[in-house]
Amino acid sequence: MRARGSVRRSPRPFGAAGVVPWLYLAPALVVLGGLLGYPIYQLGLISLFTYTQAQVSGGEAATFEGFGNYQHLFADPEFWQVLGATVVFAAACVVSTLAVGCALAVLLTRVRAVPRLALMLAALGAWATPAVTGSTVWLFLFDPDFGPVNRMLGLGDYSWTYGRYSAFFLVLLEVVWCSFPFVMVTVYAGIRAVPGEVLEAAALDGASQWRIWRSVLAPMLRPILTVVTIQSVIWDFKVFTQIYVMTNGGGIAGQNLVLNVYAYQQAFASSQYSLGSAIGVVMLLLLLAATLVYLRLLRRQGEEL
């Protein structure tokens, strides 16, 4: 029985509460569907066929292979070597970018207006520099014959791009240089939104700067850190320009190959477009899986995203 005086709420029209937000999002979803959905569909479709230069020129018809391209890819030891190198390299880039960006974001809150403006302009300049231009500049800086870095360090004619690990390290420096401004600006905006009383209370309690960051700022900025982490993972996992330019297409005997460059070589250098498409699909699935796992771990910790 209903209590006296209680008012029975009439049910809302079916789907009324859920349709309105989708109507606002519909224009953007249509644009994204055309710009992203259709190319992804074509990528997956080509990966299921035999599609080489003969099919492109119209000399032969494309034949359906099913998962044959994926079986060939997974049976290739070079693919697994490149995948492992890509994961390690991307993880190093993400960690380094987040560390540098967060450290400089905290530094921006500690310096005066003029140094802060200079640092912001320098960072935005690095962020706005095209990847090809930035890679060429870094190659000149570390050039064994004319580069100023070797002269300052007394390394003589040491070639940074000859060795596998030194070449990866050089590319990592360039990737961090052009990526940290996004993290720095985003985290700095988040820090400025934190109430000053919270930071003052932590300082009065005797907390060090590292303790304030770890126990106060980092938990409050976790949604922002989630966004910049996911963005960094996506950007660094699919690095192409820096590797291709700075290691001349993947290094000596392919020692500096990453998945994006490997897919380019298979698709365009070898004209195996279907195999290159299969690599692209694998990269897409790996990035989606990594993003979903990261978000799931955050939700288990009670974070609202």
Side-chain angles (χ1 to χ4, degrees):
M1 295 180 62
R2 283 187 301 152
R4 182 174 299 177
S6 62
V7 179
R8 184 178 181 180
R9 297 181 179 178
S10 59
R12 295 183 178 181
F14 177 76
V19 171
V20 175
W22 290 104
L23 292 177
Y24 285 108
L25 293 174
L29 292 177
V30 171
V31 173
L32 289 177
L35 295 178
L36 298 178
Y38 183 73
I40 292 175
Y41 163 75
Q42 286 292 338
L43 184 72
L45 185 64
I46 292 175
S47 69
L48 300 177
F49 286 81
T50 298
Y51 201 73
T52 62
Q53 188 61 40
Q55 284 74 29
V56 173
S57 60
E60 298 180 9
T63 57
F64 182 74
E65 292 289 338
F67 294 100
N69 290 315
Y70 295 94
Q71 293 176 355
H72 175 75
L73 185 66
F74 295 150
D76 187 2
E78 185 180 15
F79 167 76
W80 295 105
Q81 295 176 3
V82 174
L83 176 60
T86 304
V87 171
V88 174
F89 176 74
C93 289
V94 171
V95 172
S96 301
T97 302
L98 292 176
V100 173
C102 292
L104 292 178
V106 175
L107 178 63
L108 287 175
T109 63
R110 298 288 185 267
V111 298
R112 296 182 180 273
V114 175
R116 180 167 60 247
L117 178 61
L119 180 57
M120 290 284 286
L121 292 177
L124 293 177
W127 195 11
T129 303
V132 174
T133 304
S135 301
T136 304
V137 170
W138 277 80
L139 277 179
F140 170 75
L141 293 176
F142 288 84
D143 185 83
D145 297 321
F146 306 103
V149 174
N150 280 11
R151 295 181 181 180
M152 293 175 59
L153 299 179
L155 296 178
D157 58 351
Y158 177 76
S159 177
W160 290 81
T161 58
Y162 182 79
R164 182 187 186 191
Y165 298 106
S166 60
F168 268 129
F169 178 72
L170 181 59
V171 177
L172 181 144
L173 292 179
E174 202 280 334
V175 171
V176 173
W177 175 77
C178 67
S179 302
F180 83 86
F182 170 74
V183 178
M184 184 190 73
V185 173
T186 306
V187 175
Y188 173 71
I191 294 176
R192 299 296 296 179
V194 174
E197 296 81 3
V198 176
L199 302 179
E200 292 178 2
L204 290 176
D205 289 339
S208 62
Q209 294 297 327
W210 167 247
R211 185 61 183 272
I212 292 176
W213 167 260
R214 184 171 61 89
S215 302
V216 179
L217 287 176
M220 299 182 71
L221 297 176
R222 189 163 294 175
I224 294 177
L225 294 176
T226 300
V227 172
V228 297
T229 300
I230 293 175
Q231 290 279 7
S232 297
V233 169
I234 294 173
W235 289 341
D236 296 339
F237 191 80
K238 61 184 186 68
V239 164
F240 173 83
T241 304
Q242 291 88 342
I243 288 286
Y244 193 83
V245 172
M246 300 180 72
T247 65
N248 196 21
I252 300 174
Q255 63 181 1
N256 296 113
L257 282 176
V258 292
L259 278 180
N260 235 356
V261 179
Y262 182 60
Y264 174 83
Q265 288 187 351
Q266 295 297 324
F268 297 102
S270 302
S271 298
Q272 297 289 335
Y273 303 108
S274 53
L275 192 59
S277 299
I279 299 173
V281 172
V282 171
M283 291 180 60
L284 175 64
L285 295 177
L286 288 175
L287 288 174
L288 287 176
T291 302
L292 292 176
V293 168
Y294 187 67
L295 293 178
R296 186 177 181 85
L297 291 175
L298 289 178
R299 287 199 172 187
R300 285 185 177 180
Q301 297 174 2
E303 295 293 333
E304 295 183 0
L305 301 175

